[in-house]
Amino acid sequence: MEVGILDFSVSASQWKGSHVKGTLGQGTHIVRECCRAAGVEVRDLHRGWRGKLDVVMAGLFWWEHAYDLVLTLAAHGIEPDRVRRGGHPLVFVGGQLPSYNPGVLASIADLACIGDGEEVGPEVLRRLASGAAVRDLVEIPGVYVSEADNCAEWQQVADITGPVRWPFINRTVED
């Protein structure tokens, strides 16, 4: 399964204090590393889009990031409308915007993570890789499924330090 991740936030590098748009922010970096620790490879799409993707993950913070996501999908030949896209690829969003109101993204995203994605992200990807139907993912706490319009419980991870290397460095170069 080919999975990629994007982040539309403006993030500051710990080492330089400079702001870089178009790199993984802290949340998306952590989710990517947790997925990797769980055995699911997730590529940083800011490094370039190569080949077809099965899942596009995106971290959305502000409301305008919904527009950024639509424009980015369209620029890469992916239908932004969820229904017309038909699940190829699946769009799985997380971050502050979908956590507080995933319904506004239901026409774009197939899935949304509500709250922390450190456990939700790897579990969703594992189930998808094993052939689970998207609608069945409502069973995972913290997952909003657009076609089901379910009520998802906020997830919070008490300790994220185990699978993530600190200090966090914001960059697109693979470690």
Side-chain angles (χ1 to χ4, degrees):
M1 182 167 72
E2 291 292 321
V3 182
I5 193 166
L6 295 164
D7 192 324
F8 295 102
S9 66
V10 177
S11 304
S13 166
Q14 176 176 327
W15 300 110
K16 298 182 178 151
S18 60
H19 291 277
V20 181
K21 187 164 184 164
T23 58
L24 293 182
Q26 184 172 0
T28 48
H29 171 79
I30 290 170
V31 169
R32 182 187 68 180
E33 293 306 307
C34 289
C35 289
R36 285 180 171 171
V40 181
E41 186 61 31
V42 176
R43 295 184 296 158
D44 180 346
L45 294 179
H46 295 295
R47 299 187 70 214
W49 294 53
R50 298 174 308 275
K52 297 284 183 187
L53 294 167
D54 298 302
V55 180
V56 174
M57 299 173 77
L60 310 175
F61 189 77
W62 299 112
W63 62 268
E64 69 266 21
H65 296 153
Y67 297 112
D68 290 339
L69 177 60
V70 167
L71 293 172
T72 300
L73 292 172
H76 289 90
I78 297 172
E79 171 60 53
D81 183 88
R82 176 182 62 83
V83 174
R84 286 191 298 220
R85 186 175 60 251
H88 303 290
L90 286 173
V91 175
F92 181 18
V93 297
Q96 180 172 317
L97 176 62
S99 289
Y100 286 118
N101 189 359
V104 299
L105 299 163
S107 66
I108 305 165
D110 299 281
L111 304 164
C113 174
I114 309 304
D116 295 338
E118 291 82 344
E119 294 173 5
V120 173
E123 181 63 20
V124 164
L125 296 177
R126 271 195 301 266
R127 290 196 192 189
L128 288 172
S130 68
V134 173
R135 196 169 182 87
D136 293 339
L137 299 175
V138 297
E139 300 169 357
I140 302 172
V143 175
Y144 172 81
V145 178
S146 295
E147 69 177 88
D149 195 24
N150 61 302
C151 181
E153 179 181 328
W154 185 284
Q155 294 302 294
Q156 183 164 347
V157 177
D159 181 15
I160 61 172
T161 59
V164 180
R165 203 175 55 148
W166 294 94
F168 169 73
I169 301 169
N170 181 13
R171 61 183 178 172
T172 59
V173 179
E174 297 293 321
D175 296 323

Short mmCIF file of all heavy atoms in Angstrom, two decimals, residues 60-108:
data_model
loop_
_atom_site.label_atom_id
_atom_site.label_comp_id
_atom_site.label_asym_id
_atom_site.label_seq_id
_atom_site.Cartn_x
_atom_site.Cartn_y
_atom_site.Cartn_z
N LEU A 60 -4.26 19.35 8.67
CA LEU A 60 -4.94 20.62 8.41
C LEU A 60 -5.12 21.36 9.72
O LEU A 60 -5.67 20.82 10.68
CB LEU A 60 -6.31 20.37 7.77
CG LEU A 60 -6.33 19.43 6.55
CD1 LEU A 60 -7.76 19.20 6.12
CD2 LEU A 60 -5.50 19.98 5.43
N PHE A 61 -4.69 22.60 9.76
CA PHE A 61 -4.78 23.38 10.99
C PHE A 61 -5.85 24.46 10.88
O PHE A 61 -6.81 24.46 11.61
CB PHE A 61 -3.41 23.99 11.32
CG PHE A 61 -3.36 24.63 12.68
CD1 PHE A 61 -3.26 23.84 13.81
CD2 PHE A 61 -3.42 25.99 12.82
CE1 PHE A 61 -3.21 24.42 15.07
CE2 PHE A 61 -3.37 26.58 14.08
CZ PHE A 61 -3.26 25.79 15.20
N TRP A 62 -5.68 25.39 9.95
CA TRP A 62 -6.63 26.48 9.77
C TRP A 62 -7.64 26.15 8.71
O TRP A 62 -7.43 25.26 7.88
CB TRP A 62 -5.91 27.78 9.38
CG TRP A 62 -4.93 28.25 10.40
CD1 TRP A 62 -3.58 28.28 10.26
CD2 TRP A 62 -5.20 28.74 11.71
NE1 TRP A 62 -3.00 28.76 11.41
CE2 TRP A 62 -3.96 29.06 12.31
CE3 TRP A 62 -6.37 28.94 12.44
CZ2 TRP A 62 -3.88 29.57 13.60
CZ3 TRP A 62 -6.28 29.46 13.72
CH2 TRP A 62 -5.04 29.76 14.28
N TRP A 63 -8.74 26.90 8.64
CA TRP A 63 -9.79 26.65 7.67
C TRP A 63 -9.28 26.74 6.24
O TRP A 63 -9.71 26.02 5.36
CB TRP A 63 -10.97 27.60 7.88
CG TRP A 63 -10.61 29.05 7.72
CD1 TRP A 63 -10.21 29.92 8.69
CD2 TRP A 63 -10.59 29.78 6.49
NE1 TRP A 63 -9.92 31.14 8.16
CE2 TRP A 63 -10.15 31.09 6.81
CE3 TRP A 63 -10.89 29.48 5.18
CZ2 TRP A 63 -10.01 32.09 5.85
CZ3 TRP A 63 -10.75 30.47 4.22
CH2 TRP A 63 -10.32 31.75 4.57
N GLU A 64 -8.31 27.65 5.96
CA GLU A 64 -7.84 27.79 4.58
C GLU A 64 -7.05 26.58 4.09
O GLU A 64 -6.83 26.40 2.90
CB GLU A 64 -7.03 29.08 4.38
CG GLU A 64 -5.68 29.10 5.08
CD GLU A 64 -5.73 29.74 6.45
OE1 GLU A 64 -6.80 29.84 7.06
OE2 GLU A 64 -4.65 30.16 6.93
N HIS A 65 -6.64 25.70 5.03
CA HIS A 65 -5.94 24.50 4.62
C HIS A 65 -6.85 23.52 3.88
O HIS A 65 -6.37 22.68 3.12
CB HIS A 65 -5.27 23.82 5.81
CG HIS A 65 -4.21 24.69 6.42
ND1 HIS A 65 -3.85 24.61 7.73
CD2 HIS A 65 -3.45 25.67 5.88
CE1 HIS A 65 -2.91 25.50 7.99
NE2 HIS A 65 -2.65 26.16 6.86
N ALA A 66 -8.16 23.66 4.06
CA ALA A 66 -9.10 22.86 3.27
C ALA A 66 -8.97 23.26 1.80
O ALA A 66 -8.95 22.40 0.91
CB ALA A 66 -10.54 23.05 3.76
N TYR A 67 -8.85 24.56 1.54
CA TYR A 67 -8.65 25.02 0.17
C TYR A 67 -7.29 24.56 -0.36
O TYR A 67 -7.18 24.16 -1.52
CB TYR A 67 -8.74 26.55 0.09
CG TYR A 67 -10.09 27.10 0.47
CD1 TYR A 67 -10.26 27.84 1.63
CD2 TYR A 67 -11.20 26.86 -0.33
CE1 TYR A 67 -11.51 28.34 1.98
CE2 TYR A 67 -12.45 27.35 0.01
CZ TYR A 67 -12.60 28.10 1.16
OH TYR A 67 -13.82 28.58 1.51
N ASP A 68 -6.26 24.65 0.47
CA ASP A 68 -4.93 24.18 0.06
C ASP A 68 -4.97 22.71 -0.32
O ASP A 68 -4.34 22.30 -1.30
CB ASP A 68 -3.91 24.38 1.19
CG ASP A 68 -3.57 25.83 1.47
OD1 ASP A 68 -3.79 26.67 0.58
OD2 ASP A 68 -3.10 26.12 2.58
N LEU A 69 -5.70 21.90 0.43
CA LEU A 69 -5.80 20.48 0.14
C LEU A 69 -6.48 20.25 -1.22
O LEU A 69 -5.99 19.48 -2.04
CB LEU A 69 -6.56 19.74 1.25
CG LEU A 69 -6.79 18.25 1.02
CD1 LEU A 69 -5.47 17.49 0.87
CD2 LEU A 69 -7.62 17.67 2.16
N VAL A 70 -7.59 20.93 -1.45
CA VAL A 70 -8.30 20.80 -2.72
C VAL A 70 -7.38 21.17 -3.88
O VAL A 70 -7.29 20.44 -4.88
CB VAL A 70 -9.58 21.67 -2.73
CG1 VAL A 70 -10.15 21.80 -4.14
CG2 VAL A 70 -10.61 21.10 -1.79
N LEU A 71 -6.69 22.30 -3.78
CA LEU A 71 -5.80 22.75 -4.85
C LEU A 71 -4.64 21.78 -5.06
O LEU A 71 -4.25 21.51 -6.20
CB LEU A 71 -5.28 24.15 -4.54
CG LEU A 71 -6.33 25.26 -4.55
CD1 LEU A 71 -5.73 26.57 -4.03
CD2 LEU A 71 -6.89 25.44 -5.95
N THR A 72 -4.10 21.24 -3.98
CA THR A 72 -2.98 20.30 -4.09
C THR A 72 -3.42 19.00 -4.73
O THR A 72 -2.72 18.46 -5.60
CB THR A 72 -2.37 20.03 -2.70
OG1 THR A 72 -1.91 21.28 -2.16
CG2 THR A 72 -1.20 19.08 -2.78
N LEU A 73 -4.56 18.48 -4.32
CA LEU A 73 -5.07 17.25 -4.94
C LEU A 73 -5.29 17.46 -6.44
O LEU A 73 -4.82 16.66 -7.27
CB LEU A 73 -6.37 16.81 -4.27
CG LEU A 73 -6.28 16.31 -2.83
CD1 LEU A 73 -7.67 16.10 -2.25
CD2 LEU A 73 -5.44 15.06 -2.72
N ALA A 74 -5.96 18.54 -6.79
CA ALA A 74 -6.25 18.82 -8.20
C ALA A 74 -4.97 19.01 -9.00
O ALA A 74 -4.86 18.52 -10.13
CB ALA A 74 -7.15 20.05 -8.32
N ALA A 75 -3.99 19.68 -8.42
CA ALA A 75 -2.71 19.91 -9.11
C ALA A 75 -1.98 18.61 -9.41
O ALA A 75 -1.16 18.56 -10.33
CB ALA A 75 -1.83 20.84 -8.29
N HIS A 76 -2.28 17.57 -8.64
CA HIS A 76 -1.62 16.27 -8.84
C HIS A 76 -2.54 15.25 -9.51
O HIS A 76 -2.31 14.05 -9.44
CB HIS A 76 -1.09 15.75 -7.50
CG HIS A 76 0.09 16.53 -7.03
ND1 HIS A 76 -0.05 17.65 -6.24
CD2 HIS A 76 1.41 16.39 -7.29
CE1 HIS A 76 1.14 18.15 -6.02
NE2 HIS A 76 2.05 17.41 -6.64
N GLY A 77 -3.60 15.76 -10.16
CA GLY A 77 -4.47 14.90 -10.94
C GLY A 77 -5.42 14.04 -10.12
O GLY A 77 -5.94 13.04 -10.61
N ILE A 78 -5.66 14.44 -8.87
CA ILE A 78 -6.56 13.69 -7.99
C ILE A 78 -7.86 14.48 -7.86
O ILE A 78 -7.83 15.67 -7.52
CB ILE A 78 -5.93 13.45 -6.61
CG1 ILE A 78 -4.66 12.59 -6.76
CG2 ILE A 78 -6.91 12.80 -5.65
CD1 ILE A 78 -3.86 12.47 -5.47
N GLU A 79 -8.95 13.84 -8.11
CA GLU A 79 -10.28 14.47 -7.99
C GLU A 79 -10.50 14.89 -6.53
O GLU A 79 -10.47 14.05 -5.64
CB GLU A 79 -11.36 13.48 -8.42
CG GLU A 79 -12.78 13.93 -8.13
CD GLU A 79 -13.16 15.23 -8.81
OE1 GLU A 79 -13.00 15.32 -10.04
OE2 GLU A 79 -13.62 16.14 -8.10
N PRO A 80 -10.71 16.17 -6.26
CA PRO A 80 -10.93 16.61 -4.88
C PRO A 80 -12.27 16.16 -4.28
O PRO A 80 -12.37 15.99 -3.08
CB PRO A 80 -10.87 18.13 -4.96
CG PRO A 80 -10.17 18.43 -6.24
CD PRO A 80 -10.52 17.30 -7.17
N ASP A 81 -13.29 16.00 -5.11
CA ASP A 81 -14.61 15.61 -4.59
C ASP A 81 -14.60 14.14 -4.20
O ASP A 81 -14.34 13.26 -5.03
CB ASP A 81 -15.68 15.87 -5.65
CG ASP A 81 -17.06 15.55 -5.13
OD1 ASP A 81 -17.70 16.45 -4.54
OD2 ASP A 81 -17.50 14.39 -5.31
N ARG A 82 -14.90 13.86 -2.94
CA ARG A 82 -14.83 12.50 -2.40
C ARG A 82 -15.69 11.51 -3.16
O ARG A 82 -15.25 10.41 -3.50
CB ARG A 82 -15.24 12.52 -0.91
CG ARG A 82 -15.30 11.15 -0.27
CD ARG A 82 -15.75 11.22 1.18
NE ARG A 82 -17.08 11.75 1.35
CZ ARG A 82 -18.21 11.04 1.23
NH1 ARG A 82 -18.16 9.77 0.92
NH2 ARG A 82 -19.38 11.61 1.42
N VAL A 83 -16.92 11.87 -3.45
CA VAL A 83 -17.84 10.95 -4.12
C VAL A 83 -17.37 10.66 -5.54
O VAL A 83 -17.32 9.51 -5.96
CB VAL A 83 -19.28 11.51 -4.09
CG1 VAL A 83 -20.22 10.63 -4.91
CG2 VAL A 83 -19.76 11.62 -2.65
N ARG A 84 -17.00 11.69 -6.28
CA ARG A 84 -16.53 11.48 -7.66
C ARG A 84 -15.20 10.73 -7.70
O ARG A 84 -14.94 9.99 -8.64
CB ARG A 84 -16.40 12.81 -8.39
CG ARG A 84 -17.75 13.40 -8.75
CD ARG A 84 -17.61 14.55 -9.69
NE ARG A 84 -16.85 15.63 -9.08
CZ ARG A 84 -17.15 16.91 -9.21
NH1 ARG A 84 -18.14 17.29 -9.96
NH2 ARG A 84 -16.43 17.83 -8.62
N ARG A 85 -14.37 10.92 -6.67
CA ARG A 85 -13.08 10.23 -6.60
C ARG A 85 -13.27 8.74 -6.35
O ARG A 85 -12.47 7.92 -6.77
CB ARG A 85 -12.21 10.87 -5.51
CG ARG A 85 -10.81 10.33 -5.46
CD ARG A 85 -9.92 11.05 -4.44
NE ARG A 85 -10.43 10.94 -3.09
CZ ARG A 85 -10.97 11.93 -2.39
NH1 ARG A 85 -11.03 13.14 -2.89
NH2 ARG A 85 -11.43 11.73 -1.17
N GLY A 86 -14.31 8.38 -5.64
CA GLY A 86 -14.63 6.97 -5.41
C GLY A 86 -13.61 6.21 -4.59
O GLY A 86 -13.46 5.00 -4.76
N GLY A 87 -12.90 6.89 -3.71
CA GLY A 87 -11.96 6.20 -2.82
C GLY A 87 -10.60 5.89 -3.42
O GLY A 87 -9.83 5.15 -2.82
N HIS A 88 -10.29 6.48 -4.57
CA HIS A 88 -8.99 6.22 -5.20
C HIS A 88 -8.29 7.53 -5.50
O HIS A 88 -8.62 8.18 -6.49
CB HIS A 88 -9.16 5.42 -6.48
CG HIS A 88 -9.87 4.12 -6.27
ND1 HIS A 88 -9.30 3.07 -5.61
CD2 HIS A 88 -11.10 3.73 -6.61
CE1 HIS A 88 -10.17 2.07 -5.56
NE2 HIS A 88 -11.28 2.45 -6.17
N PRO A 89 -7.34 7.98 -4.71
CA PRO A 89 -6.94 7.40 -3.43
C PRO A 89 -7.87 7.85 -2.31
O PRO A 89 -8.65 8.79 -2.48
CB PRO A 89 -5.54 7.98 -3.22
CG PRO A 89 -5.59 9.32 -3.87
CD PRO A 89 -6.51 9.14 -5.07
N LEU A 90 -7.74 7.20 -1.18
CA LEU A 90 -8.46 7.65 0.01
C LEU A 90 -7.76 8.89 0.53
O LEU A 90 -6.53 8.98 0.50
CB LEU A 90 -8.43 6.59 1.10
CG LEU A 90 -9.32 5.38 0.91
CD1 LEU A 90 -9.06 4.36 1.99
CD2 LEU A 90 -10.79 5.78 0.91
N VAL A 91 -8.52 9.85 1.02
CA VAL A 91 -7.96 11.04 1.64
C VAL A 91 -8.29 10.97 3.13
O VAL A 91 -9.46 10.87 3.51
CB VAL A 91 -8.51 12.33 0.99
CG1 VAL A 91 -8.01 13.56 1.73
CG2 VAL A 91 -8.11 12.39 -0.48
N PHE A 92 -7.24 10.99 3.95
CA PHE A 92 -7.34 10.82 5.40
C PHE A 92 -6.72 12.05 6.04
O PHE A 92 -5.52 12.28 5.91
CB PHE A 92 -6.58 9.55 5.78
CG PHE A 92 -6.59 9.18 7.24
CD1 PHE A 92 -7.51 9.68 8.14
CD2 PHE A 92 -5.64 8.28 7.72
CE1 PHE A 92 -7.49 9.32 9.48
CE2 PHE A 92 -5.62 7.90 9.05
CZ PHE A 92 -6.55 8.43 9.93
N VAL A 93 -7.55 12.88 6.70
CA VAL A 93 -7.07 14.14 7.26
C VAL A 93 -7.03 14.09 8.79
O VAL A 93 -7.74 13.31 9.42
CB VAL A 93 -7.93 15.33 6.79
CG1 VAL A 93 -7.84 15.51 5.29
CG2 VAL A 93 -9.37 15.19 7.24
N GLY A 94 -6.20 14.94 9.33
CA GLY A 94 -6.10 15.09 10.78
C GLY A 94 -5.68 16.52 11.08
O GLY A 94 -5.51 17.33 10.18
N GLY A 95 -5.53 16.82 12.35
CA GLY A 95 -5.14 18.17 12.74
C GLY A 95 -6.28 18.87 13.45
O GLY A 95 -7.35 18.32 13.69
N GLN A 96 -6.05 20.13 13.76
CA GLN A 96 -7.02 20.91 14.53
C GLN A 96 -8.34 21.08 13.78
O GLN A 96 -9.41 20.89 14.36
CB GLN A 96 -6.45 22.28 14.87
CG GLN A 96 -7.43 23.12 15.68
CD GLN A 96 -6.80 24.39 16.18
OE1 GLN A 96 -5.69 24.39 16.65
NE2 GLN A 96 -7.54 25.48 16.08
N LEU A 97 -8.30 21.45 12.50
CA LEU A 97 -9.54 21.71 11.76
C LEU A 97 -10.47 20.49 11.74
O LEU A 97 -11.62 20.60 12.17
CB LEU A 97 -9.21 22.17 10.33
CG LEU A 97 -10.40 22.37 9.41
CD1 LEU A 97 -11.34 23.45 9.93
CD2 LEU A 97 -9.93 22.71 8.00
N PRO A 98 -10.02 19.32 11.29
CA PRO A 98 -10.94 18.18 11.29
C PRO A 98 -11.29 17.68 12.68
O PRO A 98 -12.37 17.14 12.88
CB PRO A 98 -10.21 17.11 10.48
CG PRO A 98 -8.80 17.52 10.45
CD PRO A 98 -8.76 19.00 10.62
N SER A 99 -10.41 17.87 13.65
CA SER A 99 -10.72 17.41 15.00
C SER A 99 -11.90 18.15 15.60
O SER A 99 -12.72 17.57 16.29
CB SER A 99 -9.50 17.57 15.91
OG SER A 99 -8.50 16.63 15.57
N TYR A 100 -12.00 19.44 15.31
CA TYR A 100 -13.09 20.21 15.87
C TYR A 100 -14.36 20.15 15.04
O TYR A 100 -15.44 20.32 15.56
CB TYR A 100 -12.67 21.66 16.09
CG TYR A 100 -11.75 21.81 17.27
CD1 TYR A 100 -10.45 22.28 17.11
CD2 TYR A 100 -12.15 21.44 18.54
CE1 TYR A 100 -9.60 22.39 18.19
CE2 TYR A 100 -11.31 21.54 19.63
CZ TYR A 100 -10.03 22.02 19.45
OH TYR A 100 -9.19 22.12 20.51
N ASN A 101 -14.23 19.92 13.73
CA ASN A 101 -15.42 19.84 12.90
C ASN A 101 -15.11 19.08 11.61
O ASN A 101 -14.85 19.70 10.57
CB ASN A 101 -15.96 21.24 12.57
CG ASN A 101 -17.31 21.18 11.89
OD1 ASN A 101 -17.85 20.11 11.64
ND2 ASN A 101 -17.85 22.34 11.57
N PRO A 102 -15.14 17.75 11.65
CA PRO A 102 -14.81 16.98 10.45
C PRO A 102 -15.87 17.08 9.36
O PRO A 102 -15.58 16.86 8.19
CB PRO A 102 -14.70 15.55 10.96
CG PRO A 102 -15.62 15.51 12.15
CD PRO A 102 -15.48 16.88 12.78
N GLY A 103 -17.09 17.46 9.72
CA GLY A 103 -18.17 17.51 8.75
C GLY A 103 -17.92 18.48 7.61
O GLY A 103 -18.36 18.23 6.49
N VAL A 104 -17.20 19.58 7.88
CA VAL A 104 -16.94 20.55 6.80
C VAL A 104 -16.02 19.97 5.74
O VAL A 104 -15.95 20.49 4.63
CB VAL A 104 -16.38 21.88 7.34
CG1 VAL A 104 -17.35 22.55 8.29
CG2 VAL A 104 -15.03 21.69 7.99
N LEU A 105 -15.33 18.89 6.06
CA LEU A 105 -14.41 18.26 5.12
C LEU A 105 -14.98 17.00 4.47
O LEU A 105 -14.31 16.34 3.69
CB LEU A 105 -13.09 17.92 5.83
CG LEU A 105 -12.35 19.13 6.39
CD1 LEU A 105 -11.33 18.69 7.41
CD2 LEU A 105 -11.72 19.92 5.27
N ALA A 106 -16.23 16.67 4.79
CA ALA A 106 -16.82 15.42 4.33
C ALA A 106 -16.91 15.31 2.82
O ALA A 106 -16.88 14.21 2.28
CB ALA A 106 -18.21 15.23 4.94
N SER A 107 -16.97 16.42 2.12
CA SER A 107 -17.03 16.35 0.66
C SER A 107 -15.64 16.15 0.04
O SER A 107 -15.54 15.82 -1.14
CB SER A 107 -17.68 17.61 0.08
OG SER A 107 -16.87 18.73 0.33
N ILE A 108 -14.59 16.31 0.84
CA ILE A 108 -13.22 16.15 0.36
C ILE A 108 -12.58 14.88 0.91
O ILE A 108 -12.05 14.06 0.18
CB ILE A 108 -12.35 17.36 0.78
CG1 ILE A 108 -12.96 18.67 0.33
CG2 ILE A 108 -10.92 17.20 0.27
CD1 ILE A 108 -12.37 19.88 1.01
#
